[in-house]
Amino acid sequence: MSENIGQNIAEEKELTEVLKVRREKLAVLRENGEDPFKITKFDRTDKIDDIRENYDKYEGKIVTVAGRMMSKRVMGKMSFADLRDGSNRIQLCVKRDEMGEEEYKKYKKLDIGDMIGVTGEVFKTQKGEMSIRTSSITLLSKSLRPLPEKFHGLTNTDLRYRQRYVDLIMNPEVKRTFEIRSKIMTAIRNYLDSRGYMEVETPILNTIPGGANARPFITHHNTLDIDMYLRIAPELYLKRLIVGGFEKVYEMGRLFRNEGMDIKHNPEFTTIELYEAYTDYVGMMNLTEDMIKTVAEQILGTTKITYQGVEIDLGSPWRRISMIDAIKEYSGADFSTVADAAEAKALAESIGIEVDEENGPLSKGEIISLAFEEKVEENLIQPTFITEYPVEISPLAKRMPSNPEFTERFEVFITGREYGNAFSELNDPIDQKDRFVKQVEKREAGDEEAGMMDEDYVNALEYGLPPTGGLGIGIDRLVMLLTDSSSIRDVLLFPTMKPLEK
């Protein structure tokens, strides 16, 4: 322990000295009228990636590029450096005789991490390294902090998430993840736009946290003097638009849930929700499968991927199985034979499930859902639609005509995780109000995740919601899947973190 403490103290002392030296360099530049922070613009002629991809076109050509100096190797009258812009990296060949004595001295005083502009001739070294024979260098921004030598591979991933800007500088593969994320979101939008869906925006500040069961974030509106909630789902607003006459709508954006954090959950996250009139949950199943296959093919060039060492086939027809049948397959328990909550509890306990009723008795449907979570979910590695959810856990889904205790709802699972949730939307205003009442009763009994009564939404349903299919997909989890990322924090540029002083 004492050795580690001593090492940390030595590292802090060394860093303090480096910071001091770099600020002294800046002070000298300013005294000489060369303050880099006063430069407002630099005209580039080319990006490095274009030069690398089209060398035959650029060989012998004079170019002006700009970026961050990632390394520097001074060898007397000749030096080399690596320059990286937002597209790629290239070697700089710097010679004193070509730049001049004074300019070469200025170059030698540059630090790794400095932002520079470079003009020179494109060529290849004898070893075949694509380079720029540098004729001039302009300091565009001084790096007052040193870049870490080995940022990648640090066991302290907390630092990478807190200082994402350094993570992006040092690890090109991290930047690549977020480039893929952007392309995935664009591909989803293009898919839906091409099928006649319209992108819309609904309120993030809500007077009622509706559309899902989750604990909301609460704030206060001073002018109106009312408590408001960051939205936990846009569902009820989007279905109001279907009532109003739009037939295909979607919204991609942030949701906020004041709940636990782990490798699958962040308090704010991105989803897409879409609604289509005159279809049902089967139509949403078909759309979900086709959309994810299409996006994977466009972005990755294949529908066969590997996630954390496990091969996943997105291209084959996705399995479809009811929740009851899935529980029976993986545990042997047949919940279709139970008549009430007491029998469901006894059956669940017989297969080793602890039914916790400390906060009140669970319904038959809630116990069935618990059995599914504990006995089935982790086994659903290949794409699988789980259908026919109990009505007690599906307050916004339409009942199955053949069995009113269950709903026309599905969730899609891949790698043992849920990626999407959809149903034939409940459009009976009387049934909907009754279910809201039951949610309110649960909330009054202490369930902070239970929904509230939304009288205006019931009012909208009374004007008539056509048969409608609705779908929500977690964008962050989909990005995790398609980039082989183990944690949701790896696909969020700035994940929620506790302040260091806390």
Side-chain angles (χ1 to χ4, degrees):
M1 178 65 75
S2 60
E3 291 180 1
N4 291 337
I5 293 174
Q7 181 179 351
N8 290 338
I9 293 174
E11 289 175 353
E12 286 295 325
K13 184 177 180 180
E14 182 180 351
L15 176 59
T16 301
E17 184 63 28
V18 170
L19 297 179
K20 179 182 176 182
V21 170
R22 293 203 176 193
R23 278 161 176 75
E24 288 173 350
K25 287 185 177 181
L26 176 62
V28 171
L29 288 169
R30 285 174 167 168
E31 288 173 4
N32 295 333
E34 300 174 346
D35 187 347
F37 297 120
K38 289 187 177 180
I39 296 176
T40 59
K41 182 182 178 183
F42 185 80
D43 293 324
R44 298 186 295 177
T45 61
D46 299 278
K47 291 185 177 180
I48 293 173
D49 196 54
D50 292 335
I51 297 171
R52 297 194 70 89
E53 291 295 320
N54 303 281
Y55 177 74
D56 291 342
K57 171 185 171 183
Y58 280 94
E59 184 179 13
K61 181 180 177 181
I62 302 299
V63 297
T64 298
V65 296
R68 188 182 300 275
M69 188 166 68
M70 299 301 296
S71 68
K72 186 175 73 167
R73 303 173 295 285
V74 178
M75 297 176 290
K77 298 180 181 180
M78 182 176 179
S79 301
F80 293 95
D82 278 335
L83 181 72
R84 181 186 295 161
D85 67 7
S87 65
N88 212 321
R89 59 159 294 280
I90 197 165
Q91 178 176 266
L92 305 181
C93 179
V94 187
K95 294 183 178 181
R96 186 184 67 180
D97 293 344
E98 294 179 357
M99 289 189 68
E101 185 78 31
E102 290 303 314
E103 291 301 312
Y104 192 68
K105 285 181 179 179
K106 291 180 181 179
Y107 160 76
K108 290 171 67 176
K109 292 179 181 179
L110 294 176
D111 292 306
I112 294 173
D114 286 350
M115 304 297 296
I116 59 176
V118 175
T119 297
E121 178 187 351
V122 177
F123 78 108
K124 282 186 179 180
T125 65
Q126 291 181 349
K127 294 183 178 181
E129 177 72 21
M130 198 175 301
S131 308
I132 294 176
R133 185 177 289 109
T134 306
S135 57
S136 69
I137 295 178
T138 304
L139 178 60
L140 303 176
S141 181
K142 186 67 184 170
S143 176
L144 299 180
R145 282 188 173 271
L147 296 177
E149 293 182 5
K150 295 182 179 179
F151 203 80
H152 180 66
L154 284 180
T155 55
N156 185 6
T157 55
D158 182 84
L159 180 62
R160 291 180 53 226
Y161 300 141
R162 290 184 185 280
Q163 297 184 7
R164 181 67 84 188
Y165 39 90
V166 182
D167 192 21
L168 292 168
I169 291 170
M170 301 304 296
N171 297 318
E173 69 275 12
V174 172
K175 186 178 178 183
R176 174 65 176 160
T177 293
F178 291 102
E179 291 172 344
I180 293 175
R181 179 189 175 102
S182 178
K183 291 178 180 179
I184 289 171
M185 295 171 73
T186 298
I188 291 173
R189 283 189 166 101
N190 290 341
Y191 180 93
L192 294 173
D193 291 345
S194 69
R195 285 158 178 78
Y197 282 84
M198 182 178 74
E199 185 172 10
V200 298
E201 294 177 298
T202 62
I204 290 177
L205 278 177
N206 295 172
T207 55
I208 295 173
N213 289 339
R215 181 185 297 179
F217 286 94
I218 306 173
T219 186
H220 188 80
H221 194 294
N222 292 331
T223 301
L224 298 177
D225 193 24
I226 58 172
D227 285 340
M228 300 192 77
Y229 307 88
L230 292 179
R231 69 178 179 193
I232 58 176
E235 178 170 341
L236 302 186
Y237 281 106
L238 293 173
K239 286 191 286 192
R240 283 174 170 92
L241 298 180
I242 301 295
V243 171
F246 292 111
E247 294 185 354
K248 291 183 176 182
V249 297
Y250 74 90
E251 180 171 15
M252 188 182 294
R254 288 290 213 198
L255 303 184
F256 307 85
R257 298 184 182 180
N258 196 359
E259 299 174 339
M261 298 170 59
D262 56 34
I263 62 171
K264 298 183 293 183
H265 298 90
N266 192 69
E268 57 174 313
F269 56 98
T270 302
T271 68
I272 183 167
E273 287 204 18
L274 60 92
Y275 294 85
E276 178 178 344
Y278 311 113
T279 190
D280 61 1
Y281 80 127
V282 176
M284 291 295 102
M285 258 189 280
N286 297 336
L287 183 145
T288 301
E289 183 172 347
D290 185 61
M291 180 167 67
I292 293 179
K293 286 180 179 179
T294 300
V295 169
E297 185 68 47
Q298 287 182 1
I299 304 302
L300 305 179
T302 181
T303 54
K304 291 185 177 181
I305 64 173
T306 299
Y307 183 76
Q308 302 297 292
V310 179
E311 292 186 2
I312 304 296
D313 187 358
L314 300 174
S316 298
W318 294 12
R319 190 182 187 200
R320 305 182 182 192
I321 182 173
S322 72
M323 180 178 284
I324 291 290
D325 288 343
I327 296 171
K328 184 177 180 179
E329 178 178 322
Y330 287 100
S331 73
D334 187 358
F335 281 87
S336 67
T337 63
V338 302
D340 53 30
E343 290 186 15
K345 180 180 180 181
L347 182 56
E349 291 177 341
S350 73
I351 56 173
I353 296 174
E354 181 179 347
V355 181
D356 182 4
E357 297 185 303
E358 182 178 341
N359 295 322
L362 299 183
S363 66
K364 171 184 170 181
E366 289 171 325
I367 295 171
I368 292 173
S369 176
L370 178 63
F372 169 76
E373 291 173 1
E374 296 201 9
K375 295 296 182 180
V376 181
E377 276 194 22
E378 65 181 9
N379 299 296
L380 304 177
I381 305 303
Q382 298 302 321
T384 304
F385 291 109
I386 298 296
T387 65
E388 301 176 23
Y389 277 56
V391 69
E392 295 96 329
I393 61 168
S394 310
L396 297 166
K398 183 172 287 191
R399 296 176 190 265
M400 297 184 65
S402 60
N403 189 350
E405 289 188 340
F406 293 85
T407 62
E408 293 191 346
R409 174 186 175 188
F410 75 78
E411 288 184 316
V412 59
F413 290 85
I414 311 172
T415 67
R417 297 174 179 173
E418 181 247 321
Y419 284 80
N421 182 27
F423 23 88
S424 302
E425 302 297 333
L426 177 60
N427 60 349
D428 179 345
I430 298 172
D431 188 2
Q432 181 65 81
K433 187 165 186 176
D434 288 343
R435 295 198 214 177
F436 276 153
V437 168
K438 288 182 172 62
Q439 289 291 304
V440 170
E441 290 173 350
K442 291 176 64 177
R443 192 175 190 86
E444 291 175 347
D447 186 348
E448 295 181 340
E449 295 185 0
M452 295 182 179
M453 173 63 69
D454 191 334
E455 294 284 2
D456 182 72
Y457 178 67
V458 175
N459 187 64
L461 292 185
E462 290 178 347
Y463 280 95
L465 173 70
T468 298
L471 166 68
I473 292 178
I475 296 295
D476 305 315
R477 290 190 185 179
L478 183 59
V479 174
M480 288 171 64
L481 179 69
L482 297 183
T483 60
D484 194 15
S485 299
S486 62
S487 170
I488 192 171
R489 291 184 172 187
D490 293 329
V491 300
L492 297 173
L493 279 168
F494 301 102
T496 304
M497 306 288 288
K498 181 184 288 188
L500 286 174
E501 60 267 22
K502 299 292 184 181

